Amino acid sequence: MPEYPIINGIPPARARLGARIRDLIEASICIQEDKADLTKAADQIEAITKALQAAGGARPLLLAALEDGGHLSINNPLEGPANPLAPPLSWKHIGAEKVEAEVLLGPAHEGPPGRVHGGWVAAVLDHVLGRATAAAGYPGMTASLTVDYHRGTPYAVPLTAEGRLVTRDGRKLHATAELKAGETVCASAKAILIHFAPDRFPSASTPD
């Protein structure tokens, strides 16, 4: 198995920093220019950024060992608590039959007015599809992804993403997923993933 840095548990300080930067991104998008000194704010952020850059040099992939024996990539762009780009996803169920996650997207993810950008919808579905095949025992990488957008996906409301492995044909994995607001299906996806050896990358897991 390749050597990846693994730490025990999710570092609280990293998770807090990611959350605060996530708040900053949203605040900067929704700011009213006549009510804030943007130049002063930019100077303060620049100073903090330089201080963090001075401590840089680490690889972006950092795995946290979980109590159940699985691993979580804490900088993952969809579920990593330390990554400000991540919504992040919160897993409600991970099992061999299906996986289910809750995700709360915000103004930073807006595409059409009041709706989530389709690229973010596709990213969430792709991530859930990958987790579904891994949970079924066949971790894989996406070879093709088809997304059907049934209606606009709202943001600032809890969304549920579900995924499942449908069939396996050799190394080809066929999986489906849905993104819902309440009981309304906003988008659905089907994908073909290519199975790789499970010891190539330690997969994350969350207890049911």
Side-chain angles (χ1 to χ4, degrees):
M1 182 172 65
E3 291 295 325
Y4 297 109
I6 299 177
I7 57 177
N8 290 322
I10 301 170
R14 278 183 175 264
R16 186 183 178 205
L17 178 62
R20 296 294 74 79
I21 297 176
R22 201 173 296 121
D23 292 341
L24 175 63
I25 292 171
E26 184 168 318
S28 69
I29 289 172
C30 299
I31 199 168
Q32 299 181 54
E33 293 190 33
D34 60 341
K35 294 186 178 181
D37 186 338
L38 300 189
T39 300
K40 180 180 179 181
D43 289 341
Q44 292 173 327
I45 293 170
E46 183 179 7
I48 294 172
T49 300
K50 287 182 178 179
L52 292 176
Q53 287 174 335
R59 296 169 61 185
L61 179 60
L62 180 61
L63 300 174
L66 305 177
E67 291 183 358
D68 70 326
H71 299 83
L72 173 67
S73 177
I74 68 170
N75 291 324
N76 183 280
L78 268 299
E79 63 174 305
N83 191 332
L85 298 179
L89 282 92
S90 175
W91 293 102
K92 298 171 64 177
H93 170 77
I94 294 180
E97 297 299 322
K98 75 168 186 175
V99 298
E100 183 179 350
E102 187 172 279
V103 59
L104 185 66
L105 298 162
H109 306 103
E110 185 183 66
R115 295 292 182 265
V116 177
H117 190 287
W120 272 101
V121 171
V124 169
L125 289 169
D126 179 66
H127 191 70
V128 171
L129 286 160
R131 179 59 71 88
T133 61
Y138 303 101
M141 298 183 69
T142 306
S144 69
L145 174 68
T146 301
V147 179
D148 291 318
Y149 298 92
H150 304 289
R151 52 187 47 81
T153 301
Y155 64 78
V157 298
L159 303 171
T160 301
E162 298 179 359
R164 66 184 71 240
L165 173 64
V166 179
T167 60
R168 181 171 67 92
D169 179 15
R171 292 184 61 206
K172 284 187 177 181
L173 311 170
H174 299 264
T176 60
E178 289 183 338
L179 184 64
K180 300 188 293 186
E183 295 301 317
T184 301
V185 177
C186 300
S188 59
K190 57 183 178 181
I192 297 175
L193 298 90
I194 305 301
H195 173 51
F196 56 75
D199 62 350
R200 231 181 115 184
F201 187 84
S203 60
S205 62
T206 300
D208 186 19

